[in-house]
């Protein structure tokens, strides 16, 4: 025992270092340990020749056996790994503790809300039992009504401080109290992978949304980000601080004028005249709260402000509390009155929806902060070597240019050229438009012409339509128009469409640049391959590159708009590239009362994934029956065209014609892919004779076992439901095609959709010959007789094509007949692509 104690003391001393080698301790001096640490710091890899050289060059290590040095380095790596794991576990533990604290506070708030509702319910019962009382007690409204705007004098600092303190109290009662009746945001269930906890108002004046979550940034940084609203709120055109003065308690009071874009061309934009109060509470929490003021604050240009309708911000803001060990807990409340009375009746649901406010403001703010936090920690990796801030700036410039085109503000130089009432197409012109990007400026001799329109769509989920437009550009776009716009952005290269005819090859290559943490927004470069029709230009590349942003492709998200915005860009993709955005925006409207129930009772989907719980990021087609069959949405289209002064009339004529053709194509596509356009017997992905989902999965697996003599799923016998789920998540890409003269794909599991880079909605547009190259088609045709005779065949490895034009390699493919169990007739052909990967 004395020897063990002595060894422990020696191992803990600073002058000695030991490790166990073959059952005995090896002793090192402090100088030897320092030398080994220096070698390890310079060459941590064990197989490094440089490490061996450094050891030989160090005299103090010459009397140590190489084996002992090797063991020391192994122990050193183990200790470093343990330290990293320990640090990671401590970080996770801190986050879980903070989240647990947040959930406990939310639970307390909900209990208070339940108690208050029970009290109100009892009070209402008591009044209903009193026959002499014809009206309810107004006191029950106190918990569900927002206090009216303060009447205190807002023309002096004392009055503003009084308003600020009142705003602070009302905001805190909404953020952590029961001043608003909050209900959970539909489709946003809290959980370990959730960004936060989200709620919307149930009964209150105006529309309100609330969010709370844990963010790994310090409170001062979060305050700085949130106060710079135009960087994260895409609908914010501008924010100007008119007056700022310190409050007596160390805070600041600001008078702010804010302008918001209108999302469509059917209603005017909104502006706000508000007081913003920033302060620190006694418990160390940071607060930024804001509310509208009475008055006519109109910014620096009263004439420009006449294009806006004044809206109100009711007490709202941000509560940021520091967490032990780093990070912050943040509470966000947005409470607005957007003046729905001033918009057409069809658009009022958009201005009266708390879900829309939640998606566009509240959730967007929390997601943006988390995105910045992950970028700061180095967890986010983007394509083409671009820094996150650069790509974020590109996204902001795309959406801002698109919003400018839709709104066409006069102070930006826009004026209405004509408005064709028959087609509801608006033509606007900007003769003073310059695309300034900091280091370079593109000045158009004539200007920019914008053709835009808004229309109502029925029975088509916005996410499905945007996804189709993204994946099938050739269905609606004209390559020559894209070529004209791209050429116009280059110096001295104006050309009228048709002067250099080009044939679009149909190949569309999507090169991802980056995406947000929940994949709700994607930034990518699109390459459109084209061939010149003029022999002299045959060796000149006609490829067109577009910078494109796509948002809202998850149809399970409630209240979020879907956008596809793009702009021609130089193939070198410089950071300061000028952008002239065009695109589509589809905003869902709240369904009319009874629509959802009618949809559920009148339609039963036969989609293979209707009974699967597929992850949201990959589920592009499931859940129609429960969501948007009878929903309405507003589609806004805006396309911009540069022109020379002497070509304005010609460009305007072809631009109107082109946009009308795009509108016609989009309407045709929307009708074709709308689930309600199909009869109840025809699912949007499966053919008329397709079986129920579990039955089809059973047929595929049973036919494979019968022909090949092995189990496709390689599992124990399962129920039909489990077979369906296992087939959907199978690692091999499994496809089914029809037995027609031109076979069309009718089904694919998740791996098959990933390989083809498509969705179940667009799958029926893919024919079998499009996915095989020449060698693949020859191999399949050569084995066709074997397939007919014995029911299956093995195809050698090769290359196939995705719908995006990317090459996919596979080691082997198996094709077999799928029999219907009832009559033993061949239902379809099935393919299994083994070990596939993108080349």
């Amino acid at each position: 025992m004395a020897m063990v104690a002595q060894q422990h003391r020696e191992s803990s001393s600073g002058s000695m270092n030991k490790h166990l080698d073959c059952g005995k301790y090896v002793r090192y001096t402090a100088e030897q340990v320092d030398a080994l640490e220096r070698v390890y710091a310079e060459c941590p890899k064990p197989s490094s020749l440089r490490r061996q050289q450094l050891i030989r060059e160090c005299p103090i290590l010459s009397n140590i056996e190489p084996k002992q040095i090797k063991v020391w380095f192994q122990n050193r790596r183990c200790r470093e790994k343990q330290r990293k794991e320990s640090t990671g576990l401590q970080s996770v533990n801190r986050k879980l503790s903070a989240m647990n604290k947040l959930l406990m506070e939310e639970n307390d708030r909900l209990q208070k809300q339940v108690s208050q509702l029970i009290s109100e319910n009892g009070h209402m019962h008591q009044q209903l039992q009193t026959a002499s009382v014809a009206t309810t007690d107004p006191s029950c409204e106190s918990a569900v009504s927002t206090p009216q705007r303060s009447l205190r004098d807002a023309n002096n600092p004392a009055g503003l401080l009084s308003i600020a303190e009142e705003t602070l109290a009302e905001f805190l009662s909404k953020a952590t109290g029961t001043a608003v009746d909050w209900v959970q945001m539909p489709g946003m269930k809290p959980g370990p992978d959730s960004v936060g906890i989200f709620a919307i108002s149930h009964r209150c004046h105006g529309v309100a949304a609330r969010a709370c979550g844990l963010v790994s940034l310090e409170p001062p940084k979060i305050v700085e980000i949130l106060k710079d609203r135009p960087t994260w709120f895409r609908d914010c055109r501008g924010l100007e601080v008119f007056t700022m003065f310190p409050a007596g308690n160390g805070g600041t009071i600001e008078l702010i004028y804010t302008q918001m874009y209108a999302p469509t061309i059917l209603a005017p934009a909104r502006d706000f005249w508000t007081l913003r109060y920033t302060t620190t509470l006694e418990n160390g929490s940071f607060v930024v709260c804001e509310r509208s003021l009475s008055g006519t604050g109109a910014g620096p240009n009263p004439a420009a402000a006449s294009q806006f309708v004044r809206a109100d911000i009711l007490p709202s803001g941000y509560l940021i509390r520091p967490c032990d060990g780093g990070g912050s807990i943040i509470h966000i409340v947005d409470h607005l009155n957007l003046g729905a009375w001033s918009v057409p009746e069809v658009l009022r649901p958009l201005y009266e929806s708390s879900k829309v406010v939640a998606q566009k403001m509240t959730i967007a703010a929390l997601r943006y902060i988390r995105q910045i936090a992950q970028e700061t920690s180095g967890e986010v990796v983007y394509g083409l070597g671009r820094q996150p801030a650069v790509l974020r700036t590109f996204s902001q410039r795309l959406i801002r240019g698109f919003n400018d085109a839709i709104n066409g503000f006069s102070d930006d130089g826009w004026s209405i050229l004509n408005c064709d009432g028959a087609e509801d197409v608006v033509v606007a012109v900007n003769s003073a438009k310059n695309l300034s990007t900091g280091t370079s400026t593109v000045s158009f001799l004539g200007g920019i012409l914008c053709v835009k329109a808004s229309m109502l769509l029925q029975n088509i989920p916005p996410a499905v339509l945007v996804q189709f437009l993204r994946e099938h550009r050739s269905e609606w776009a004209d390559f020559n128009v894209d070529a004209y716009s791209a050429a116009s952005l280059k110096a001295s290269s104006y050309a009228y469409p048709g002067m250099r005819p080009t044939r679009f090859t149909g190949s569309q290559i999507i090169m991802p640049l980056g995406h947000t943490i929940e994949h709700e927004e994607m930034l990518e470069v699109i390459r459109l391959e084209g061939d010149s029709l003029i022999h002299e230009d045959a060796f000149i590349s006609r490829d067109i590159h577009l910078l494109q942003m796509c948002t809202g492709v998850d149809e399970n998200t409630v209240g979020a708009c879907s956008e596809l915005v793009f702009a021609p860009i130089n193939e070198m993709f410089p950071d300061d590239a000028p952008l002239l955005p065009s695109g589509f925006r589809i905003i869902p409207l709240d369904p009319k009362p009874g629509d959802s129930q009618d949809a559920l009772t009148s339609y039963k989907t036969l989609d293979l994934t209707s009974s699967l719980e597929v992850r949201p990021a990959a589920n592009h087609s499931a859940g129609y029956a429960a969501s948007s069959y009878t929903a309405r949405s507003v589609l806004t289209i805006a396309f911009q065209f540069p022109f020379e002064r002497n070509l304005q009339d010609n460009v305007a004529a072809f631009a109107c014609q082109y946009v009308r053709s795009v509108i016609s194509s989009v309407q045709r596509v929307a009708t074709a892919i709308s689930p309600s356009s199909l009869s109840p017997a025809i699912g949007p992905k499966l053919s008329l004779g397709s079986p129920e989902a579990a039955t089809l999965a059973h047929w595929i697996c049973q036919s494979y076992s019968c022909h090949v003599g092995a189990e496709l799923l390689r599992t124990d016998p399962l129920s039909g439901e489990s077979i369906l789920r296992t087939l959907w998540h199978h690692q091999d890409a499994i496809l089914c095609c029809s037995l027609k003269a031109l076979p069309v794909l009718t089904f694919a599991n998740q791996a098959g959709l990933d390989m083809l880079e498509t969705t179940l909605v667009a799958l029926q547009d893919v024919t079998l010959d499009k996915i095989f190259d020449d060698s693949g088609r020859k191999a399949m045709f050569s084995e066709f007789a074997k397939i007919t005779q014995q029911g299956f065949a093995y195809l050698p490895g090769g290359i196939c094509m995705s719908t995006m034009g990317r090459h996919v390699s596979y080691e082997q493919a198996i094709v077999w007949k799928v029999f219907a169990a009832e009559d033993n007739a061949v239902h379809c052909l099935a393919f299994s692509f083994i070990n596939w990967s993108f080349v």
Side-chain angles (χ1 to χ4, degrees), residues 16 77 147 180 199 219 254 321 327 338 414 421-422 428 455 522 558 657 707-708 766-767 775 792 815 817:
M16 295 293 179
R77 285 196 302 272
V180 173
E254 301 163 291
R321 295 183 297 172
L338 296 173
W414 289 98
M455 67 202 72
M522 298 177 289
V558 178
Q657 181 181 2
H707 293 308
V708 182
V766 182
T767 57
S775 60
F792 77 101
V815 55
K817 296 179 183 178

Side-chain angles (χ1 to χ4, degrees), residues 768-781 796-802 807-810:
L768 190 62
D769 64 308
K770 288 183 179 180
I771 68 173
F772 285 106
D773 60 2
D774 291 338
S775 60
R777 282 192 290 268
K778 291 178 181 178
M780 186 175 62
F781 292 150
I799 301 293
C800 62
M801 299 284 289
S802 75
H807 290 83
V808 181
S809 65
Y810 56 92

Side-chain angles (χ1 to χ4, degrees), residues 61-307:
L61 300 178
S62 60
N63 60 344
I64 304 177
E65 296 181 6
K67 183 179 179 180
Q68 295 174 350
I69 295 178
K70 180 179 180 182
V71 173
W72 188 95
F73 282 122
Q74 290 175 347
N75 293 339
R76 178 65 175 81
R77 285 196 302 272
C78 290
R79 291 194 299 271
E80 184 175 4
K81 183 179 180 181
Q82 289 173 351
R83 281 198 299 269
K84 290 181 179 179
E85 291 177 350
S86 177
T87 303
L89 290 174
Q90 291 175 1
S91 176
V92 171
N93 186 57
R94 287 194 298 267
K95 291 181 180 179
L96 291 176
S97 299
M99 183 58 69
N100 182 60
K101 180 181 179 181
L102 178 62
L103 292 175
M104 291 176 62
E105 293 175 354
E106 183 69 8
N107 184 57
D108 292 340
R109 189 195 64 80
L110 290 175
Q111 289 180 352
K112 292 179 183 178
Q113 184 174 337
V114 169
S115 301
Q116 183 170 310
L117 291 175
I118 292 174
S119 176
E120 291 179 13
N121 188 43
H123 183 71
M124 292 296 293
H125 276 294
Q126 183 180 359
Q127 288 195 338
L128 290 173
Q129 292 172 359
T130 306
S132 60
V133 179
T135 59
T136 60
D137 186 350
S139 64
C140 68
E141 297 292 333
S142 61
V144 296
S145 300
T146 303
Q148 297 298 313
R149 182 182 303 175
S150 174
L151 298 179
R152 294 182 176 87
D153 184 12
N155 296 321
N156 62 77
L160 290 175
L161 180 59
S162 177
I163 295 174
E165 294 292 345
E166 179 183 295
T167 303
L168 173 62
E170 294 182 19
F171 159 66
L172 291 177
S173 68
K174 296 176 184 179
T176 60
T178 59
V180 173
D181 186 6
W182 299 111
V183 296
Q184 182 176 295
M185 175 76 177
M188 301 291 289
K189 295 182 179 180
D193 298 327
S194 175
V195 175
I197 303 172
F198 306 103
I200 56 176
S201 59
H202 178 51
R203 297 175 300 170
C204 74
H205 175 61
V207 289
R210 174 180 175 271
C212 52
L214 178 65
V215 181
S216 56
L217 286 177
E218 297 305 314
K221 180 63 176 179
I222 297 176
V223 170
E224 177 187 349
I225 293 173
L226 291 176
K227 292 181 72 171
D228 189 10
R229 187 175 292 156
T231 61
W232 58 266
F233 184 28
R234 297 294 175 82
D235 285 355
C236 182
R237 185 192 183 212
L239 182 150
E240 182 171 355
V241 178
F242 268 67
T243 304
M244 180 176 68
F245 57 89
N249 55 358
T252 58
I253 294 177
E254 301 163 291
L255 299 184
I256 297 175
Y257 176 68
T258 306
Q259 292 180 345
M260 282 177 54
Y261 289 108
T264 72
I265 68 170
L266 303 176
R270 266 49 183 166
D271 65 352
F272 303 91
W273 176 243
T274 60
L275 176 147
R276 186 168 68 185
Y277 181 36
T278 305
T279 186
T280 305
L281 302 181
E282 294 180 356
N283 61 3
S285 299
F286 290 72
V287 177
V288 181
C289 55
E290 187 173 4
R291 77 178 304 164
S292 287
L293 294 173
S294 59
T296 57
N301 190 345
S306 63
Q307 303 174 84

Side-chain angles (χ1 to χ4, degrees), residues 316-377:
S316 307
Y318 320 105
L319 170 64
I320 305 109
R321 295 183 297 172
C323 294
D324 296 336
S328 307
I329 294 177
I330 178 172
H331 295 258
I332 303 175
V333 172
D334 291 306
H335 195 172
L336 309 175
N337 180 4
L338 296 173
W341 56 268
S342 64
V343 302
E345 183 177 357
V346 68
L347 282 184
R348 287 182 185 175
L350 178 61
Y351 290 78
E352 296 173 341
S353 173
S354 295
K355 294 189 288 289
V356 173
V357 172
Q359 290 289 353
K360 297 177 73 172
M361 293 186 67
T362 318
I363 299 176
L366 190 54
R367 281 174 171 165
Y368 185 83
I369 295 172
R370 290 196 47 159
Q371 184 76 26
I372 296 296
Q374 290 203 2
E375 292 175 0
T376 303
S377 63

